[in-house]
Amino acid sequence: MDVKLTFLGTGTSQGVPIIGCGCRVCRSGDSRDKRLRASALVEYGGLKILVDAGPDFRMQMLSAGVGHLDAILLTHNHKDHTGGLDDVRALNYIDRRPAEIYCEPKVLETLKEEYGYAFAEHKYPGSPEWNIHLIDEQPFAVYPNNGGELVWKHDVGYGYLRPDGSFRLAGTGKPTPADRPTEENLAKGGVKIIPIRGLHGEMPVLGFRFGNIAYITDMSCLPESELSKLQGLKHLTLNTVSYKPHHSHFSLEQAVELALKIGAGHTWLTHLSHTFPVYDEFCGSPLPDGYGAAFGSRLPDSIRPAYDGLVIEA
């Protein structure tokens, strides 16, 4: 099954340029050095799937021309990956569908704290409409988001029209476990997603495999037990924030060593900070002294920094 991934954001939690910074990278005129917060749009089996919805969600949806999403997958609960979820209200209104959000239970608990109004028994009219599906390390199925059509009623909120013409107010409802990707479920138009378990410092987080593309961000450790899920990839995405070791992200050397171990056809680096050089130099210049000893003085040809708007296909 063909898959296309568009990098909507490839920057760290602060993005690039950083507010108030006058470094060479932050002042760069190269569009590849302008990095929104990390997010990706995956087109897979006819579905449009967003991975993470950070503070730049609105701008990313506008720049990519997105008016419909079948699912939003959340890797973890940090604000730079969930801070734009209120803006699904626009898709609720235009597309007339609730947002189908897939996340772990601990992520859901954070959403309830930060977006309590979206889970209230008596919701403020116009609050975002979400359906929550709980996931874990096991593969799950995502379906086309083409269920019941939301109807907007002024000063009341979203709801559904019953067959008799009466109006039923919508609500977030109880979260449900995501379906497993059985033959029967996939026959309904679903696609199979394979979660990849890793650690972001001490926090368990998820990456995801879509066919022959895997997207991993915000990890500092990927257990050996997960490597079998990453064999035979055409494209791999890995995070790195700096040359130096970091408590919750791969350093460049760690990311490259892991990429070479996995052996994907191409590896793309994301969640990049302004501590790396401008794009062309990052791709081709010798690495600083003391870095890259494990793989040479330059980035291997199969490994390159991603940039906002880059499209990869498999």
Side-chain angles (χ1 to χ4, degrees):
M1 187 180 294
D2 293 341
V3 55
K4 179 170 75 172
L5 184 149
T6 302
F7 290 93
L8 301 179
T10 55
T12 59
S13 59
Q14 296 185 79
V16 181
I18 291 176
I19 295 172
C21 182
C23 77
R24 184 165 173 248
V25 175
C26 287
R27 291 185 291 106
S28 170
D30 189 335
S31 62
R32 295 171 297 181
D33 293 322
K34 311 296 184 186
R35 302 184 182 278
L36 300 176
R37 268 62 76 94
S39 177
L41 178 67
V42 179
E43 296 172 70
Y44 184 36
L47 276 61
K48 288 190 175 183
I49 302 169
L50 181 72
V51 183
D52 288 335
D56 299 318
F57 172 81
R58 175 180 174 276
M59 186 178 298
Q60 290 165 339
M61 295 298 94
L62 290 171
S63 64
V66 173
H68 171 84
L69 288 173
D70 293 291
I72 299 174
L73 313 185
L74 300 178
T75 58
H76 63 298
N77 59 6
H78 282 170
K79 201 73 169 180
D80 57 320
H81 296 261
T82 65
L85 284 172
D86 180 80
D87 281 325
V88 302
R89 292 180 296 124
L91 295 180
N92 293 156
Y93 187 76
I94 297 298
D95 195 37
R96 296 190 176 183
R97 299 284 186 271
E100 306 291 335
I101 297 177
Y102 293 73
C103 65
E104 294 193 86
K106 61 184 176 58
V107 178
L108 173 59
E109 293 309 309
T110 299
L111 297 183
K112 288 180 177 179
E113 292 175 3
E114 297 184 349
Y115 297 99
Y117 56 90
F119 297 90
E121 181 178 356
H122 302 290
K123 296 172 66 172
Y124 183 84
S127 297
E129 292 293 337
W130 304 337
N131 291 329
I132 306 292
H133 307 270
L134 298 177
I135 59 175
D136 52 23
E137 295 98 331
Q138 300 302 311
F140 60 95
V142 166
Y143 303 100
N145 184 4
N146 56 7
E149 186 174 278
L150 285 174
V151 176
W152 171 254
K153 192 170 183 180
H154 183 65
D155 288 339
V156 175
Y158 290 106
Y160 300 95
L161 289 179
R162 296 187 176 97
D164 64 3
S166 61
F167 182 81
R168 175 175 65 85
L169 195 65
T172 302
K174 294 182 179 180
T176 58
D179 288 342
R180 298 306 177 196
T182 63
E183 289 186 13
E184 180 181 357
N185 289 336
L186 297 182
K188 301 174 185 176
V191 295
K192 178 181 179 180
I193 312 295
I194 301 175
I196 313 297
R197 170 65 75 202
L199 292 175
H200 181 34
E202 297 182 356
M203 173 190 291
V205 298
L206 292 176
F208 301 102
R209 178 169 181 162
F210 311 88
N212 286 323
I213 295 180
Y215 182 84
I216 291 173
T217 184
D218 284 48
M219 288 190 188
S220 56
C221 175
L222 183 65
E224 288 284 334
S225 58
E226 295 296 281
L227 296 183
S228 62
K229 299 178 180 178
L230 298 170
Q231 300 307 302
L233 290 171
K234 184 173 181 180
H235 294 285
L236 168 68
T237 296
L238 289 175
N239 63 290
T240 179
V241 296
S242 67
Y243 292 111
K244 298 178 180 180
H246 191 277
H247 69 280
S248 61
H249 288 273
F250 295 124
S251 68
L252 178 63
E253 190 151 5
Q254 289 171 327
V256 171
E257 288 179 352
L258 180 57
L260 295 175
K261 186 174 185 178
I262 292 171
H266 301 273
T267 296
W268 303 95
L269 304 174
T270 192
H271 214 286
L272 302 168
S273 75
H274 68 159
T275 63
F276 291 119
V278 294
Y279 190 86
D280 282 334
E281 291 180 9
F282 194 3
C283 290
S285 297
L287 301 177
D289 291 342
Y291 298 101
F295 54 85
S297 61
R298 301 173 188 266
L299 284 179
D301 291 340
S302 62
I303 302 174
R304 286 291 178 266
Y307 54 86
D308 294 15
L310 173 68
V311 177
I312 57 177
E313 298 185 59

